[in-house]
């Protein structure tokens, strides 16, 4: 019986709806929080900067003391960054450096390039306006402001922002624990002899790398033999102590495809034929923990290398982010001009390996086959092409850069 292909968006929505965000929160040093998902809003307990300070190396002055350019003022004090000066007396200037607090009484800074040192004084060759080259206290962050919101996946600049308001540690959700294995008697590991009919297991490296890049704690179970009992045993092992099980291969309808009956026997399974290319067959469900624990969510990906890669970044990645507590799970797309023709589109939604050319137009890898892993390295993103949509050079296409996916 012919099975109906489910729309890509419908499957992705179903996966996201089933993702159960982690409840466990841990405090980690801010310097070690890169890539983790923030579990609570962070509120600043201080103004940043804490005091009015100089934006330039120069001289702090009272604008009322400068009736004309060329006025000479006595330099009464020197204020480097990290020091606090005293009240600026009338008719004097303070030598000041970038980041140093503005002394009381001063209302402007004149950059040193517009001044001429003159013995114990300085000739000011510029008439500043009040507030010129002064950074106001709280200009960047006001005391009580939320600087980082819960659900953010922390990047380096966010860590810097947290540090700027004095956060030594950050509350983050614990790492998602993911068990990973591949099925297929034809698979061997690099470094081993390659018998006739065998292939090296590239999916193991791609999927493990993708999971680790998402901050997951990966339990790599390697290659599982093509037998129902071996697959069931691997699932039982994976379900104990992991939140998610990800597999590649064995999700089709062949006699040697044991994932579906194995997951059905060890838990429950939804199997989808998705209207996407590459990556039509995907299995989703849950595997019971034989020890009586919570068990683990299950996602089975196709075995073709590109299909496995694309289904992971387009379906598994948002599931993982949602389970980790991330507020934003879906990639942003860029409307760009096509530099190629695609006259024979598929009935399914296509994710075409592509990259930006020197002129800013999107170029397409020549061979879009599901086994051509070279295309994923050549590309720096995917074109998200709706079903039955032909493309001509000059048309606008939806481009998803790898920076949004990896």
């Amino acid at each position: 019986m012919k099975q109906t292909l489910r729309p890509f968006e419908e499957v992705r929505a179903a996966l996201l709806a089933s993702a159960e965000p982690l409840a466990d929160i841990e405090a980690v040093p801010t310097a070690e929080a890169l890539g983790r998902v923030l579990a609570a809003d962070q509120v600043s307990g201080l103004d940043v900067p804490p005091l009015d300070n100089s934006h330039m190396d120069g001289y702090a002055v009272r604008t009322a003391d400068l009736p004309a350019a060329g006025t000479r003022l006595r330099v009464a004090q020197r204020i480097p960054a990290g020091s606090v000066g005293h009240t600026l007396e009338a008719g004097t200037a303070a030598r000041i450096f970038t980041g140093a607090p503005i002394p009381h009484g001063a209302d402007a800074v004149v950059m040193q390039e517009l001044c001429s040192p003159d013995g114990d004084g300085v000739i000011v060759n510029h008439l500043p306006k009040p507030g010129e080259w002064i950074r106001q206290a709280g200009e960047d962050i006001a005391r009580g402001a939320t600087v980082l919101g819960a659900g953010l996946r922390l990047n380096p600049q966010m860590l810097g922002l947290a540090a700027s308001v004095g956060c030594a540690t950050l509350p983050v959700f614990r790492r998602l624990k993911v068990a990973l294995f591949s099925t297929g008697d034809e698979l061997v590991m690099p470094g081993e002899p390659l018998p006739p009919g065998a292939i090296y297991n590239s999916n193991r490296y791609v999927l493990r790398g993708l999971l680790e890049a998402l901050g997951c704690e990966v339990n790599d179970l390697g290659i599982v033999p093509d037998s129902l009992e071996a697959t069931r045993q691997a699932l039982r092992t994976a379900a104990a102590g992991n939140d998610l099980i990800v597999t590649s291969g064995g999700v089709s309808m062949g006699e040697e495809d044991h994932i579906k009956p194995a997951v059905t026997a060890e838990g429950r399974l939804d199997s989808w034929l998705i209207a996407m290319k590459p990556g039509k067959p995907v299995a989703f469900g849950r595997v019971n923990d034989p020890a009586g624990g919570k068990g683990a969510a299950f996602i089975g990906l196709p075995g073709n290398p590109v299909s496995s890669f694309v289904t992971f970044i387009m379906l598994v990645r948002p599931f993982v982010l949602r389970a980790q507590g991330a507020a934003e799970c879906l990639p942003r797309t860029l409307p760009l001009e096509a530099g190629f023709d695609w006259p024979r589109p598929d009935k399914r939604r296509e994710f075409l390996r592509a990259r930006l050319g020197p002129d800013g137009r999107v170029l397409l890898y020549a061979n879009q086959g599901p086994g051509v892993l070279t295309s994923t390295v050549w590309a720096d993103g995917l074109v998200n092409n709706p079903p039955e949509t032909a493309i001509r050079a000059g048309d606008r296409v939806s481009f998803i850069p790898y920076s949004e996916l990896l």
Side-chain angles (χ1 to χ4, degrees), residues 8 12 153 206 209-211 213-214 309-318 320-321 329-333 351-354 376 379-384 398-406:
F8 165 79
R12 186 174 65 183
R153 189 163 174 244
V206 173
L210 290 167
L211 288 165
L214 286 170
F309 173 73
V310 171
T311 50
F312 183 98
I313 59 179
M314 298 308 302
L315 293 173
V316 182
R317 178 183 180 275
V320 167
L321 290 175
C329 302
L330 302 181
R332 292 167 294 182
T333 62
F351 293 96
L352 307 171
R353 279 79 73 202
T376 64
D380 55 24
L382 302 173
V383 169
N384 180 354
S398 294
F399 181 74
I400 311 174
Y402 278 166
S403 59
E404 288 289 318
L405 298 168
L406 304 179

Side-chain angles (χ1 to χ4, degrees), residues 14-338:
L15 276 172
L16 285 174
S18 68
E20 299 179 6
L22 297 169
D24 301 330
I25 298 171
E26 56 191 18
V28 301
T30 298
E32 299 174 12
L34 183 64
R36 305 293 292 272
V37 176
L38 191 63
D41 291 351
Q42 297 301 291
V43 177
S44 177
L46 70 161
D47 290 327
V48 179
L51 298 169
D52 293 355
N53 68 92
S54 179
H55 195 63
M56 288 283 181
D57 291 346
Y59 295 86
V61 299
R62 294 158 40 111
T63 55
D65 291 337
L66 297 170
T71 299
R72 184 184 186 278
L73 300 173
R74 180 173 64 87
V75 178
Q77 55 182 307
R78 184 177 185 274
I79 312 174
S83 299
V84 177
H86 52 78
T87 299
L88 189 68
E89 298 175 3
T92 70
R95 180 72 166 113
I96 198 166
F97 297 87
T98 302
I102 301 297
H104 182 71
D107 62 355
V109 171
V110 180
M111 66 174 67
Q112 62 187 14
E113 291 85 350
L114 300 178
C115 298
S116 303
D118 184 46
D120 66 349
V122 63
I123 297 173
V124 181
N125 301 310
H126 169 70
L127 287 179
K129 297 178 180 178
E132 189 167 323
W133 296 120
I134 292 178
R135 291 185 290 207
Q136 302 295 321
E139 179 180 294
D140 185 8
I141 302 167
R143 183 191 299 269
T146 298
V147 292
L148 295 171
L152 288 174
R153 189 163 174 244
L154 296 167
N155 60 29
Q157 55 269 39
M158 293 175 188
L159 300 186
L161 186 59
S164 75
V165 298
C167 296
T169 63
L170 290 171
V172 297
F173 293 104
R174 70 164 172 83
R175 296 184 185 277
L176 194 73
K177 297 179 180 179
V178 184
L180 172 68
F181 66 85
S182 304
T183 65
D185 289 340
E186 76 280 11
L187 299 176
V188 298
M189 293 304 299
E192 299 175 1
L194 191 65
I199 58 172
Y200 286 122
N201 184 5
S202 60
N203 285 350
R204 181 180 185 183
Y205 294 86
V206 173
L207 297 178
R208 178 169 179 164
L210 290 167
L211 288 165
E212 290 178 344
L214 286 170
C216 298
E217 184 180 315
V218 180
N219 179 16
D220 190 343
L221 302 181
I223 301 171
V224 173
D226 272 333
S227 78
L228 179 60
E229 185 50 43
T231 306
R232 291 185 62 177
Q233 180 57 52
L235 291 170
R236 288 192 290 268
T237 300
N242 290 293
D243 306 298
L244 171 65
I245 303 168
V246 175
T247 67
S248 63
V251 292
S252 296
M253 299 298 291
E255 295 179 3
E256 297 300 322
D257 296 320
H258 301 292
I259 287 290
K260 291 181 180 179
V263 176
T264 301
E266 298 296 333
R268 59 178 175 79
L269 180 71
D270 291 320
S271 181
W272 298 315
L273 292 180
I274 309 174
M276 67 179 289
K277 182 181 180 181
K280 183 168 65 173
V282 171
F284 172 76
R286 191 160 193 90
V287 179
N288 300 324
D289 182 353
K294 185 179 179 181
F298 170 84
I299 303 178
L301 304 178
N304 278 325
V306 177
S307 299
S308 179
F309 173 73
V310 171
T311 50
F312 183 98
I313 59 179
M314 298 308 302
L315 293 173
V316 182
R317 178 183 180 275
F319 178 93
V320 167
L321 290 175
R322 177 62 56 82
Q324 289 175 327
E328 296 293 333
C329 302
L330 302 181
R332 292 167 294 182
T333 62
L334 303 176
L336 298 176
E337 183 178 331

Side-chain angles (χ1 to χ4, degrees), residues 344-362:
R344 292 180 292 279
D346 198 88
K347 294 181 179 180
R348 296 172 283 171
R349 178 173 295 275
E350 298 171 292
F351 293 96
L352 307 171
R353 279 79 73 202
R355 72 179 181 191
L356 296 182
D359 60 356
R361 298 202 305 169
V362 180

